[in-house]
Amino acid sequence: MEFEKLSAPSLKDLFVQQLRGMILSGELPVGTPLPPERDLARQMQVSRAVVNGGMAELAKQGFVEVRPRQGAVVADYRQHGNLDTLIAIMEYQGGVLGNEEVQSILEVRRALEHLAVSNTIRRASQRDLDRLGKLLAAIAECDTPAQAAEAAWNYQHELALVSGNSILPLIYYSFKSPVITLWTRFCRLYGIEALCRNTETLYDRICARDQEGAARWIDEYLGQAISGGQQIYCE
């Protein structure tokens, strides 16, 4: 058995984590001017190169806007963010999601699932459906909620691939960590059997090429998670 080498975060990573945390917590509201790099370096006892690299990373993630000759300000990341922003928010506080974020992810997932299923019904070959069937069967064979959540994500990612939309699998992949967390929570609350039942019902309607039935089921079972009897919010 081999173990991977452990490595501590770099000073730049720690700089980014601290400022990003202050922004996401509201300690640094949108529009707040940030001190010049020289002052930040002095206050945080790091080199200007660390600050410069960290500010560039924060700008890439959508949290900071660097204005020539004016300095940097906290950006409106919800309005002007990108996939890097989304991933950073998901990783905030170790991947623990608030109820607002949980609901938002479920709502986005519902919209994406409509697209994936609609395309799959129109485009999937029998070989594609057979491959999805094997991944569906793998969920039922899992012994723990964590295993079932990973298997369910594999099924959903394959569904996105089968849909034929080239961007959809990339979007699904960016949601992997929080979605697995939410599915794990679902299985702990309602059992792996409930996850299998939801997935199998949708799969049956895909195989029957039943567009309307599949759409109704997506709205029903995700509606249960958003505002019905199978909610997965933190108390």
Side-chain angles (χ1 to χ4, degrees), residues 20 24 86-99 101-102 105 174-185 188 232 234:
R20 188 173 62 205
L24 288 172
L86 176 63
I87 293 169
I89 291 172
M90 290 175 178
E91 293 174 347
Y92 177 54
Q93 291 186 334
V96 176
L97 297 170
N99 289 343
E101 286 77 18
V102 170
I105 289 172
S174 72
F175 277 81
K176 181 176 182 179
S177 178
V179 166
I180 287 179
T181 298
L182 296 182
W183 262 322
T184 301
R185 187 182 301 168
R188 286 173 178 159
I232 51 177
C234 293

mmCIF file of all heavy atoms in Angstrom, residues 20 24 86-99 101-102 105 174-185 188 232 234:
data_model
loop_
_atom_site.group_PDB
_atom_site.id
_atom_site.type_symbol
_atom_site.label_atom_id
_atom_site.label_comp_id
_atom_site.label_asym_id
_atom_site.label_seq_id
_atom_site.Cartn_x
_atom_site.Cartn_y
_atom_site.Cartn_z
ATOM 1 N N ARG A 20 -11.365 35.279 0.461
ATOM 2 C CA ARG A 20 -12.604 34.723 -0.080
ATOM 3 C C ARG A 20 -13.598 34.444 1.044
ATOM 4 O O ARG A 20 -14.802 34.698 0.916
ATOM 5 C CB ARG A 20 -12.302 33.444 -0.848
ATOM 6 C CG ARG A 20 -13.497 32.869 -1.618
ATOM 7 C CD ARG A 20 -13.047 31.724 -2.476
ATOM 8 N NE ARG A 20 -12.504 30.626 -1.684
ATOM 9 C CZ ARG A 20 -11.635 29.720 -2.129
ATOM 10 N NH1 ARG A 20 -11.187 29.784 -3.383
ATOM 11 N NH2 ARG A 20 -11.205 28.758 -1.349
ATOM 12 N N LEU A 24 -17.349 35.965 1.304
ATOM 13 C CA LEU A 24 -18.537 35.114 1.337
ATOM 14 C C LEU A 24 -19.298 35.244 2.653
ATOM 15 O O LEU A 24 -20.519 35.077 2.689
ATOM 16 C CB LEU A 24 -18.140 33.655 1.102
ATOM 17 C CG LEU A 24 -17.707 33.325 -0.328
ATOM 18 C CD1 LEU A 24 -17.140 31.907 -0.401
ATOM 19 C CD2 LEU A 24 -18.874 33.468 -1.294
ATOM 20 N N LEU A 86 -18.565 29.485 -8.756
ATOM 21 C CA LEU A 86 -19.466 28.449 -8.256
ATOM 22 C C LEU A 86 -18.712 27.379 -7.483
ATOM 23 O O LEU A 86 -19.107 26.995 -6.375
ATOM 24 C CB LEU A 86 -20.213 27.812 -9.432
ATOM 25 C CG LEU A 86 -21.139 26.644 -9.111
ATOM 26 C CD1 LEU A 86 -22.274 27.084 -8.193
ATOM 27 C CD2 LEU A 86 -21.696 26.048 -10.397
ATOM 28 N N ILE A 87 -17.609 26.907 -8.045
ATOM 29 C CA ILE A 87 -16.826 25.866 -7.377
ATOM 30 C C ILE A 87 -16.268 26.375 -6.052
ATOM 31 O O ILE A 87 -16.272 25.663 -5.039
ATOM 32 C CB ILE A 87 -15.697 25.383 -8.310
ATOM 33 C CG1 ILE A 87 -16.301 24.661 -9.531
ATOM 34 C CG2 ILE A 87 -14.737 24.461 -7.571
ATOM 35 C CD1 ILE A 87 -15.303 24.372 -10.625
ATOM 36 N N ALA A 88 -15.814 27.629 -6.039
ATOM 37 C CA ALA A 88 -15.274 28.201 -4.804
ATOM 38 C C ALA A 88 -16.347 28.303 -3.726
ATOM 39 O O ALA A 88 -16.091 28.028 -2.545
ATOM 40 C CB ALA A 88 -14.679 29.584 -5.090
ATOM 41 N N ILE A 89 -17.556 28.692 -4.109
ATOM 42 C CA ILE A 89 -18.648 28.784 -3.144
ATOM 43 C C ILE A 89 -18.974 27.405 -2.583
ATOM 44 O O ILE A 89 -19.231 27.231 -1.389
ATOM 45 C CB ILE A 89 -19.895 29.408 -3.801
ATOM 46 C CG1 ILE A 89 -19.631 30.901 -4.106
ATOM 47 C CG2 ILE A 89 -21.123 29.273 -2.906
ATOM 48 C CD1 ILE A 89 -20.726 31.561 -4.920
ATOM 49 N N MET A 90 -18.944 26.394 -3.460
ATOM 50 C CA MET A 90 -19.247 25.031 -3.020
ATOM 51 C C MET A 90 -18.205 24.511 -2.036
ATOM 52 O O MET A 90 -18.504 23.706 -1.147
ATOM 53 C CB MET A 90 -19.315 24.098 -4.234
ATOM 54 C CG MET A 90 -20.522 24.361 -5.114
ATOM 55 S SD MET A 90 -20.474 23.344 -6.595
ATOM 56 C CE MET A 90 -22.022 23.810 -7.373
ATOM 57 N N GLU A 91 -16.966 24.956 -2.203
ATOM 58 C CA GLU A 91 -15.889 24.493 -1.327
ATOM 59 C C GLU A 91 -15.794 25.306 -0.044
ATOM 60 O O GLU A 91 -15.067 24.941 0.880
ATOM 61 C CB GLU A 91 -14.552 24.574 -2.078
ATOM 62 C CG GLU A 91 -14.453 23.589 -3.236
ATOM 63 C CD GLU A 91 -13.186 23.773 -4.050
ATOM 64 O OE1 GLU A 91 -12.515 24.822 -3.868
ATOM 65 O OE2 GLU A 91 -12.876 22.900 -4.860
ATOM 66 N N TYR A 92 -16.533 26.396 0.025
ATOM 67 C CA TYR A 92 -16.485 27.293 1.182
ATOM 68 C C TYR A 92 -16.918 26.536 2.437
ATOM 69 O O TYR A 92 -17.905 25.815 2.452
ATOM 70 C CB TYR A 92 -17.397 28.484 0.932
ATOM 71 C CG TYR A 92 -17.500 29.471 2.066
ATOM 72 C CD1 TYR A 92 -16.364 30.052 2.617
ATOM 73 C CD2 TYR A 92 -18.737 29.823 2.577
ATOM 74 C CE1 TYR A 92 -16.461 30.978 3.639
ATOM 75 C CE2 TYR A 92 -18.852 30.742 3.598
ATOM 76 C CZ TYR A 92 -17.698 31.314 4.125
ATOM 77 O OH TYR A 92 -17.796 32.225 5.149
ATOM 78 N N GLN A 93 -16.188 26.699 3.486
ATOM 79 C CA GLN A 93 -16.429 26.035 4.768
ATOM 80 C C GLN A 93 -16.482 24.508 4.629
ATOM 81 O O GLN A 93 -17.347 23.840 5.190
ATOM 82 C CB GLN A 93 -17.741 26.543 5.386
ATOM 83 C CG GLN A 93 -17.652 27.993 5.843
ATOM 84 C CD GLN A 93 -18.883 28.451 6.575
ATOM 85 O OE1 GLN A 93 -19.971 27.924 6.371
ATOM 86 N NE2 GLN A 93 -18.731 29.446 7.424
ATOM 87 N N GLY A 94 -15.541 23.982 3.851
ATOM 88 C CA GLY A 94 -15.400 22.542 3.741
ATOM 89 C C GLY A 94 -16.535 21.850 3.036
ATOM 90 O O GLY A 94 -16.795 20.669 3.263
ATOM 91 N N GLY A 95 -17.240 22.563 2.156
ATOM 92 C CA GLY A 95 -18.314 21.939 1.393
ATOM 93 C C GLY A 95 -19.651 21.913 2.116
ATOM 94 O O GLY A 95 -20.615 21.336 1.618
ATOM 95 N N VAL A 96 -19.733 22.538 3.297
ATOM 96 C CA VAL A 96 -21.000 22.606 4.015
ATOM 97 C C VAL A 96 -21.876 23.658 3.346
ATOM 98 O O VAL A 96 -21.490 24.817 3.216
ATOM 99 C CB VAL A 96 -20.784 22.977 5.500
ATOM 100 C CG1 VAL A 96 -22.115 23.133 6.218
ATOM 101 C CG2 VAL A 96 -19.933 21.925 6.177
ATOM 102 N N LEU A 97 -23.066 23.254 2.916
ATOM 103 C CA LEU A 97 -23.949 24.145 2.179
ATOM 104 C C LEU A 97 -25.088 24.630 3.064
ATOM 105 O O LEU A 97 -25.674 23.863 3.819
ATOM 106 C CB LEU A 97 -24.533 23.415 0.966
ATOM 107 C CG LEU A 97 -23.529 22.953 -0.089
ATOM 108 C CD1 LEU A 97 -24.207 22.033 -1.090
ATOM 109 C CD2 LEU A 97 -22.920 24.141 -0.800
ATOM 110 N N GLY A 98 -25.393 25.928 2.953
ATOM 111 C CA GLY A 98 -26.560 26.459 3.636
ATOM 112 C C GLY A 98 -27.831 26.070 2.904
ATOM 113 O O GLY A 98 -27.804 25.621 1.758
ATOM 114 N N ASN A 99 -28.975 26.277 3.561
ATOM 115 C CA ASN A 99 -30.244 25.871 2.961
ATOM 116 C C ASN A 99 -30.555 26.631 1.682
ATOM 117 O O ASN A 99 -31.168 26.083 0.759
ATOM 118 C CB ASN A 99 -31.376 26.046 3.979
ATOM 119 C CG ASN A 99 -31.306 25.017 5.087
ATOM 120 O OD1 ASN A 99 -30.636 23.997 4.961
ATOM 121 N ND2 ASN A 99 -31.971 25.283 6.202
ATOM 122 N N GLU A 101 -28.353 27.654 -0.521
ATOM 123 C CA GLU A 101 -27.552 27.032 -1.572
ATOM 124 C C GLU A 101 -28.108 25.665 -1.960
ATOM 125 O O GLU A 101 -28.120 25.306 -3.138
ATOM 126 C CB GLU A 101 -26.088 26.897 -1.127
ATOM 127 C CG GLU A 101 -25.295 28.182 -1.099
ATOM 128 C CD GLU A 101 -25.600 29.059 0.100
ATOM 129 O OE1 GLU A 101 -26.172 28.528 1.088
ATOM 130 O OE2 GLU A 101 -25.299 30.259 0.055
ATOM 131 N N VAL A 102 -28.590 24.904 -0.962
ATOM 132 C CA VAL A 102 -29.178 23.592 -1.253
ATOM 133 C C VAL A 102 -30.374 23.749 -2.185
ATOM 134 O O VAL A 102 -30.497 23.053 -3.202
ATOM 135 C CB VAL A 102 -29.606 22.878 0.050
ATOM 136 C CG1 VAL A 102 -30.435 21.637 -0.267
ATOM 137 C CG2 VAL A 102 -28.374 22.488 0.869
ATOM 138 N N ILE A 105 -29.239 24.726 -5.716
ATOM 139 C CA ILE A 105 -28.658 23.603 -6.454
ATOM 140 C C ILE A 105 -29.750 22.665 -6.951
ATOM 141 O O ILE A 105 -29.723 22.194 -8.097
ATOM 142 C CB ILE A 105 -27.646 22.852 -5.576
ATOM 143 C CG1 ILE A 105 -26.384 23.699 -5.385
ATOM 144 C CG2 ILE A 105 -27.280 21.502 -6.189
ATOM 145 C CD1 ILE A 105 -25.411 23.144 -4.388
ATOM 146 N N SER A 174 -18.974 20.015 -12.456
ATOM 147 C CA SER A 174 -18.694 21.105 -11.519
ATOM 148 C C SER A 174 -19.561 21.005 -10.265
ATOM 149 O O SER A 174 -19.227 21.562 -9.232
ATOM 150 C CB SER A 174 -18.903 22.463 -12.204
ATOM 151 O OG SER A 174 -20.278 22.724 -12.415
ATOM 152 N N PHE A 175 -20.696 20.299 -10.355
ATOM 153 C CA PHE A 175 -21.592 20.122 -9.220
ATOM 154 C C PHE A 175 -21.302 18.840 -8.440
ATOM 155 O O PHE A 175 -22.029 18.533 -7.495
ATOM 156 C CB PHE A 175 -23.043 20.059 -9.711
ATOM 157 C CG PHE A 175 -23.675 21.399 -9.945
ATOM 158 C CD1 PHE A 175 -23.442 22.092 -11.121
ATOM 159 C CD2 PHE A 175 -24.513 21.964 -9.009
ATOM 160 C CE1 PHE A 175 -24.026 23.315 -11.353
ATOM 161 C CE2 PHE A 175 -25.109 23.189 -9.227
ATOM 162 C CZ PHE A 175 -24.868 23.877 -10.405
ATOM 163 N N LYS A 176 -20.276 18.091 -8.830
ATOM 164 C CA LYS A 176 -20.113 16.741 -8.283
ATOM 165 C C LYS A 176 -20.063 16.710 -6.757
ATOM 166 O O LYS A 176 -20.815 15.955 -6.124
ATOM 167 C CB LYS A 176 -18.854 16.088 -8.853
ATOM 168 C CG LYS A 176 -18.636 14.670 -8.330
ATOM 169 C CD LYS A 176 -17.438 13.989 -8.978
ATOM 170 C CE LYS A 176 -17.290 12.562 -8.464
ATOM 171 N NZ LYS A 176 -16.145 11.862 -9.099
ATOM 172 N N SER A 177 -19.200 17.485 -6.161
ATOM 173 C CA SER A 177 -19.016 17.412 -4.713
ATOM 174 C C SER A 177 -20.289 17.735 -3.933
ATOM 175 O O SER A 177 -20.707 16.945 -3.070
ATOM 176 C CB SER A 177 -17.871 18.344 -4.286
ATOM 177 O OG SER A 177 -17.710 18.330 -2.890
ATOM 178 N N PRO A 178 -20.953 18.864 -4.195
ATOM 179 C CA PRO A 178 -22.159 19.147 -3.415
ATOM 180 C C PRO A 178 -23.307 18.199 -3.707
ATOM 181 O O PRO A 178 -24.082 17.865 -2.814
ATOM 182 C CB PRO A 178 -22.512 20.593 -3.808
ATOM 183 C CG PRO A 178 -21.877 20.790 -5.124
ATOM 184 C CD PRO A 178 -20.618 19.992 -5.082
ATOM 185 N N VAL A 179 -23.431 17.751 -4.958
ATOM 186 C CA VAL A 179 -24.521 16.833 -5.299
ATOM 187 C C VAL A 179 -24.346 15.497 -4.570
ATOM 188 O O VAL A 179 -25.308 14.927 -4.046
ATOM 189 C CB VAL A 179 -24.612 16.631 -6.820
ATOM 190 C CG1 VAL A 179 -25.498 15.438 -7.159
ATOM 191 C CG2 VAL A 179 -25.167 17.889 -7.479
ATOM 192 N N ILE A 180 -23.115 14.990 -4.520
ATOM 193 C CA ILE A 180 -22.865 13.750 -3.786
ATOM 194 C C ILE A 180 -23.179 13.946 -2.302
ATOM 195 O O ILE A 180 -23.765 13.073 -1.653
ATOM 196 C CB ILE A 180 -21.419 13.270 -4.003
ATOM 197 C CG1 ILE A 180 -21.266 12.704 -5.422
ATOM 198 C CG2 ILE A 180 -21.032 12.219 -2.968
ATOM 199 C CD1 ILE A 180 -19.881 12.219 -5.754
ATOM 200 N N THR A 181 -22.818 15.103 -1.767
ATOM 201 C CA THR A 181 -23.144 15.401 -0.368
ATOM 202 C C THR A 181 -24.649 15.368 -0.141
ATOM 203 O O THR A 181 -25.129 14.792 0.847
ATOM 204 C CB THR A 181 -22.590 16.788 0.020
ATOM 205 O OG1 THR A 181 -21.159 16.784 -0.091
ATOM 206 C CG2 THR A 181 -22.969 17.144 1.449
ATOM 207 N N LEU A 182 -25.411 15.961 -1.057
ATOM 208 C CA LEU A 182 -26.865 16.008 -0.902
ATOM 209 C C LEU A 182 -27.488 14.625 -1.070
ATOM 210 O O LEU A 182 -28.431 14.270 -0.352
ATOM 211 C CB LEU A 182 -27.465 17.000 -1.904
ATOM 212 C CG LEU A 182 -27.052 18.460 -1.711
ATOM 213 C CD1 LEU A 182 -27.738 19.347 -2.737
ATOM 214 C CD2 LEU A 182 -27.372 18.945 -0.303
ATOM 215 N N TRP A 183 -26.989 13.842 -2.014
ATOM 216 C CA TRP A 183 -27.518 12.483 -2.183
ATOM 217 C C TRP A 183 -27.199 11.608 -0.973
ATOM 218 O O TRP A 183 -28.005 10.775 -0.564
ATOM 219 C CB TRP A 183 -26.957 11.838 -3.446
ATOM 220 C CG TRP A 183 -27.883 11.928 -4.620
ATOM 221 C CD1 TRP A 183 -29.240 11.819 -4.620
ATOM 222 C CD2 TRP A 183 -27.507 12.140 -5.977
ATOM 223 N NE1 TRP A 183 -29.725 11.953 -5.894
ATOM 224 C CE2 TRP A 183 -28.693 12.148 -6.742
ATOM 225 C CE3 TRP A 183 -26.289 12.322 -6.625
ATOM 226 C CZ2 TRP A 183 -28.694 12.329 -8.126
ATOM 227 C CZ3 TRP A 183 -26.281 12.500 -7.986
ATOM 228 C CH2 TRP A 183 -27.471 12.506 -8.733
ATOM 229 N N THR A 184 -26.010 11.794 -0.406
ATOM 230 C CA THR A 184 -25.657 11.042 0.803
ATOM 231 C C THR A 184 -26.630 11.379 1.925
ATOM 232 O O THR A 184 -27.124 10.493 2.641
ATOM 233 C CB THR A 184 -24.213 11.366 1.235
ATOM 234 O OG1 THR A 184 -23.308 11.037 0.167
ATOM 235 C CG2 THR A 184 -23.829 10.585 2.476
ATOM 236 N N ARG A 185 -26.913 12.667 2.079
ATOM 237 C CA ARG A 185 -27.862 13.100 3.105
ATOM 238 C C ARG A 185 -29.252 12.515 2.833
ATOM 239 O O ARG A 185 -29.943 12.064 3.748
ATOM 240 C CB ARG A 185 -27.931 14.632 3.135
ATOM 241 C CG ARG A 185 -28.759 15.207 4.283
ATOM 242 C CD ARG A 185 -28.813 16.721 4.208
ATOM 243 N NE ARG A 185 -27.489 17.307 4.265
ATOM 244 C CZ ARG A 185 -27.238 18.593 3.995
ATOM 245 N NH1 ARG A 185 -28.229 19.393 3.639
ATOM 246 N NH2 ARG A 185 -26.021 19.058 4.072
ATOM 247 N N ARG A 188 -29.353 8.866 3.844
ATOM 248 C CA ARG A 188 -29.370 8.692 5.299
ATOM 249 C C ARG A 188 -30.746 8.970 5.874
ATOM 250 O O ARG A 188 -31.171 8.340 6.850
ATOM 251 C CB ARG A 188 -28.327 9.618 5.944
ATOM 252 C CG ARG A 188 -26.898 9.132 5.746
ATOM 253 C CD ARG A 188 -25.885 10.135 6.244
ATOM 254 N NE ARG A 188 -24.525 9.636 6.088
ATOM 255 C CZ ARG A 188 -23.444 10.414 6.054
ATOM 256 N NH1 ARG A 188 -23.568 11.739 6.177
ATOM 257 N NH2 ARG A 188 -22.245 9.884 5.904
ATOM 258 N N ILE A 232 -34.101 17.851 2.191
ATOM 259 C CA ILE A 232 -32.763 17.469 2.668
ATOM 260 C C ILE A 232 -32.003 18.675 3.215
ATOM 261 O O ILE A 232 -30.777 18.719 3.184
ATOM 262 C CB ILE A 232 -31.955 16.794 1.546
ATOM 263 C CG1 ILE A 232 -31.959 17.642 0.265
ATOM 264 C CG2 ILE A 232 -32.503 15.409 1.253
ATOM 265 C CD1 ILE A 232 -31.110 17.063 -0.843
ATOM 266 N N CYS A 234 -30.489 21.307 6.023
ATOM 267 C CA CYS A 234 -29.938 21.188 7.368
ATOM 268 C C CYS A 234 -30.884 21.857 8.354
ATOM 269 O O CYS A 234 -31.453 22.906 8.067
ATOM 270 C CB CYS A 234 -28.564 21.859 7.457
ATOM 271 S SG CYS A 234 -27.285 21.027 6.499
#
